[in-house]
Amino acid sequence: MLYSWLSFLNSCYLWWHVPGESRVSILDSTLREGEQTPGVVFSEEWRVRIAKALSDIGVGMIEVGDPSVAPDIKSAIKKIVKLKKDGEIRSHIVVHSRAVKQDLENAASLEPDRVAVFYGVSDLHLKHKHRKTREEALSIIAEMVSFAKSHGVAVRFTAEDASRADLGYLIEVVKTAYEAGADRVSIADTVGVFTPDRAREVFAKVKAAVPGVGLDIHAHNDFGMAVANSLAAVEGGADVVHTTVNGLGERAGITPLQVFAAAYYYHKGVKLVELEKLPEITAMVEAASGITLMPTYPIVGENAFTHKAGVHQAGVLANPETYEPIPPEVVGRTRDFSLDKYSGRKAIQHRLEKLGVSLQPEALDKVVEEVKRMNAPRLRDEDLLEIVEKVSGVRYRAIVNRHIEAYIWLKVANNVYTTSVARRVAALKNVVSVSEITGEYDIVVKLVAENTEELNQAIESIRQIKGVASTFTSIVLKELPTISMQTRA
Ligand SMILES: CC(=O)SCCNC(=O)CCNC(=O)[C@H](O)C(C)(C)COP(=O)(O)OP(=O)(O)OC[C@H]1O[C@@H](n2cnc3c(N)ncnc32)[C@H](O)[C@@H]1OP(=O)(O)O
Ligand SMILES: O=C(O)CCC(=O)C(=O)O
Ligand SMILES: [Mg+2]
C-alpha cells in the first residue's frame, strides 16, 4: 500500500516536469519522429499503447503525429486525446503541423494541448524548399503562429534546420514566433551538426535575447552526438528535450529517451522518468517498430551491464562501481558476466559457486586452463559444468531421464489397513518403491515407465486396487546429482 502511494506520488512528480517550470522535461516523439524511421509504421493500437506507456513512465509531453499525413494517424490522435481527457494519460499532447492553414486547422480541431508549427529557417531551406526570402519567412511564421493560436491551443514554433541558420536571423525568428503567441520554440538540429559547445552557445544566446520563451532541443544523431548536444543545450537554457524510444527517427534518428534520461540522472542527479521501467518500453517499441537494438546499445542494449574481461569481472566482484557508471537496477537491468577465454579465476569461481560447485584451488586452475584452451564464445552454465566434470571426474550436470519417472500419492479409504494396500501396490509392474507416509496422503509410490501410455496403465492399475480412495501424480522432469552421487563418481 505504502509502495503504491509512493509510486503514485513519484509519477505525479515526474509528470509535473512540464513547460513553464524551470525544470527540464522530456518530450517524446516516438509516435511522430519515430514513425519517420524507414521501414516503420505503427498500428493504431500500438500508437495508443505507446502513448500510455510514455505517460506512465512520466514523460512530460508526447508528440503524437501530424494528422494531415494519413487517416490512421488522425484517428489514433483522437483516441489519445480522449484518453488524456479521461485522465488515463497525464502527459501534454502535442500535434505536429506544417505552416499551412489547412493543416493547422486539422491539427487544432483534434483539441490537443499544443500544436507545433514547423518551418525551415536556414538559408538552404528558405531557398530550396520554401523559395522564400528571410523577410517573407518571418511574416509567414508570424501569421501561422497567430493563426494556430487563434484556435485556442498552446503553440510551439519549430525552427527547422536552426543549427545551420545564421544565429542573428535565428534570434529574429524566435522573437517573431514568441511575439506572435508561441510560448515555446524548438531549436532543431535537423541534420545533427551541432557540437556540444555550439549547442550550448546557441541556446544561451537565444535565451538571453528572448528570456520569456521556453526552448526545446531536437537533436539528430547523424554524428552520434545527439545525447551530448541535448545535455549541452540544457546547460545553455533548453528546458524540454526531444527524444524517441530506442532513438528512432529519420536517418540515424534522434536522442534516445533511455540514454538521455540515464545520462541526465548520472550527470545531474535527477530522474526525468521512471528509469526502472525503461527495459519494458524498449521491448514494447522494438515489437511495435520491428527494429531491434544492437547488443552494445547504451543502457538498454543486451550487453550494457555485461562484463567480459577477467580484470573487469574481478573488479566488479570487488566493487561494481569499478566498471559500471550506474548500478543496473537503477535502469531496471541486472548485471551479468560473459565467461570465455577472457575470464580469470575469480569470475569462474564466482559462477561455479552460484551453481553450487566449490572446487579446490588446483581443480579450479585446471578448469581455468581448459576454458582458455577452448576459444569458445560465451560459455553456458552447462558448458562450464561439463568442463568441471572433465577435469574432476565428478558428475555435476542434471541428469535428464530418458524414461518417465513419476511419484503417485495415494489416499487410502477409511477403515482400510494401509499396509494391505501398500503390499498390493508393491506387487505391480513398473513400481520401483512404495513408502507409507504421514500427512495428507498415506502412501507414496515411485513408478518408472517407458512411455506415457505405459505410465497411464500403471496409474490405472493402482487406482483399481480396493481401498485406494484417490491419487495424485507428479512426473519427474529432472534429477539432480546428490552429494552421495558426486562422491561415488
Ligand atoms: C524535419 C522534419 O522531420 S519536419 C516533419 C516532416 N513531416 C512530414 O514530412 C510528414 C509526412 N509528409 C507527408 O505526408 C506529405 O509530405 C505532406 C502531407 C505533409 C505534404 O504532401 P504534399 O502536399 O504532397 O507535398 P510534398 O510532400 O510533395 O512536398 C512538400 C511540400 O510541403 C512544403 N513544405 C515543406 N515544409 C513546409 C512547412 N514547414 N510549412 C509549409 N509548407 C512546407 C514544401 O515546400 C512542398 O511544397 P511545394 O509542393 O509547394 O514545393
Ligand atoms: O518539430 C521539431 O521540433 C523538430 C522537427 C524535426 O523533426 C527536425 O527538424 O528534425
Ligand atoms: Mg527530426
Side-chain angles (χ1 to χ4, degrees):
M1 186 67 187
L2 177 66
Y3 176 78
S4 39
W5 257 105
L6 287 174
S7 163
F8 174 72
L9 290 174
N10 186 39
S11 60
C12 290
Y13 168 79
L14 291 167
W15 167 74
W16 195 240
H17 278 235
V18 292
E21 298 266 294
S22 58
R23 298 196 194 107
V24 170
S25 76
I26 300 255
L27 172 146
D28 188 90
S29 185
T30 304
L31 297 176
R32 197 276 299 171
E33 176 81 51
E35 209 187 27
Q36 289 179 223
T37 308
V40 172
V41 284
F42 296 127
S43 67
E44 274 192 53
E45 195 195 330
W46 273 122
R47 298 182 89 83
V48 171
R49 281 175 66 181
I50 291 170
K52 281 176 85 172
L54 289 167
S55 169
D56 288 347
I57 67 168
V59 160
M61 290 193 260
I62 306 173
E63 198 165 72
V64 288
D66 176 344
S68 300
V69 169
D72 68 303
I73 297 179
K74 183 167 180 175
S75 156
I77 295 174
K78 280 185 190 160
K79 289 181 184 154
I80 293 169
V81 169
K82 176 152 190 329
L83 288 174
K84 171 72 196 289
K85 287 186 175 162
D86 293 346
E88 285 189 52
I89 286 182
R90 284 196 292 265
S91 321
H92 283 208
I93 305 301
V94 182
V95 169
H96 218 232
S97 171
R98 286 186 303 171
V100 170
K101 283 189 176 168
Q102 198 184 336
D103 291 15
L104 288 168
E105 266 167 357
N106 195 20
S109 72
L110 302 179
E111 300 178 9
D113 297 299
R114 178 179 293 275
V115 169
V117 194
F118 66 93
Y119 202 82
V121 298
S122 63
D123 288 337
L124 257 171
H125 278 224
L126 290 175
K127 182 172 173 198
H128 298 285
K129 266 177 48 182
H130 299 306
R131 302 176 297 275
K132 301 287 181 215
T133 63
R134 288 185 181 183
E135 290 66 36
E136 285 168 336
L138 287 178
S139 66
I140 291 169
I141 291 166
E143 186 190 353
M144 293 302 157
V145 166
S146 61
F147 179 77
K149 187 86 181 139
S150 71
H151 288 74
V153 285
V155 175
R156 174 184 99 217
F157 174 70
T158 288
E160 195 191 349
D161 205 25
S163 51
R164 290 193 295 180
D166 173 78
L167 183 52
Y169 179 63
L170 176 64
I171 289 171
E172 271 188 76
V173 164
V174 175
K175 263 189 198 150
T176 304
Y178 183 58
E179 281 161 13
D183 62 333
R184 306 200 56 80
V185 172
S186 167
I187 305 291
D189 183 18
T190 304
V191 293
V193 293
F194 263 154
T195 59
D197 282 349
R198 181 67 178 157
R200 195 180 295 104
E201 182 196 356
V202 168
F203 275 80
K205 288 195 169 148
V206 171
K207 190 73 187 171
V210 195
V213 75
L215 293 179
D216 295 25
I217 169 69
H218 179 96
H220 272 266
N221 209 22
D222 296 68
F223 293 114
M225 293 200 285
V227 171
N229 290 335
S230 298
L231 284 169
V234 167
E235 285 164 6
D239 62 338
V240 167
V241 175
H242 292 198
T243 66
T244 54
V245 178
N246 300 348
L248 295 180
E250 291 277 351
R251 308 181 309 281
I254 68 163
T255 309
L257 168 67
Q258 303 97 316
V259 187
F260 181 79
Y264 197 80
Y265 173 67
Y266 179 82
H267 290 284
K268 313 284 179 191
V270 174
K271 288 186 181 178
L272 296 174
V273 294
E274 290 188 48
L275 297 177
E276 64 285 1
K277 291 188 179 160
L278 291 176
E280 217 175 291
I281 202 158
T282 304
M284 175 182 274
V285 172
E286 280 185 322
S289 65
I291 294 190
T292 46
L293 298 183
M294 60 181 177
T296 49
Y297 203 88
I299 304 298
V300 284
E302 195 187 330
N303 294 353
F305 293 95
T306 298
H307 307 279
K308 168 157 162 166
V311 167
H312 291 223
Q313 293 172 333
V316 170
L317 285 171
N319 180 347
E321 280 182 54
T322 52
Y323 288 98
E324 285 172 0
I326 51 171
E329 303 77 43
V330 169
V331 286
R333 303 293 309 274
T334 50
R335 173 176 309 120
D336 199 3
F337 293 133
S338 169
L339 298 186
D340 66 9
K341 66 182 180 191
Y342 271 76
S343 305
R345 297 174 90 253
K346 290 201 180 66
I348 291 176
Q349 186 178 23
H350 173 77
R351 176 65 61 85
L352 286 173
E353 276 167 8
K354 281 189 124 183
L355 294 170
V357 177
S358 150
L359 294 182
Q360 294 301 316
E362 312 79 58
L364 179 63
D365 285 345
K366 282 190 190 158
V367 170
V368 174
E369 258 172 52
E370 186 63 22
V371 167
K372 291 202 174 276
R373 254 201 300 270
M374 284 177 72
N375 199 28
R378 199 152 191 175
L379 294 170
R380 298 167 307 156
D381 292 347
E382 178 73 9
D383 303 324
L384 189 60
L385 289 176
E386 193 179 329
I387 296 172
V388 175
E389 285 174 1
K390 198 169 140 191
V391 162
S392 66
V394 175
R395 174 110 196 147
Y396 286 100
R397 283 171 300 158
I399 300 157
V400 179
N401 291 328
R402 278 189 200 87
H403 49 254
I404 303 174
E405 286 184 3
Y407 287 92
I408 322 291
W409 313 83
L410 308 189
K411 267 189 192 153
V412 172
N414 287 343
N415 307 322
V416 173
Y417 180 39
T418 304
T419 307
S420 72
V421 174
R423 279 204 194 105
R424 284 200 189 104
V425 173
L428 293 176
K429 199 179 145 212
N430 301 102
V431 172
V432 175
S433 67
V434 180
S435 313
E436 289 184 33
I437 53 173
T438 58
E440 206 181 323
Y441 289 90
D442 305 304
I443 297 173
V444 61
V445 182
K446 186 172 179 185
L447 287 181
V448 177
E450 286 306 311
N451 49 48
T452 45
E453 201 185 337
E454 193 179 305
L455 177 69
N456 199 28
Q457 276 170 8
I459 295 169
E460 272 312 304
S461 314
I462 291 176
R463 283 211 185 108
Q464 281 162 16
I465 291 174
K466 208 168 160 225
V468 173
S470 66
T471 64
F472 177 86
T473 303
S474 309
I475 293 182
V476 176
L477 297 177
K478 238 185 209 179
E479 199 181 4
L480 298 175
T482 58
I483 299 279
S484 60
M485 279 171 81
Q486 290 173 12
T487 323
R488 248 183 280 136

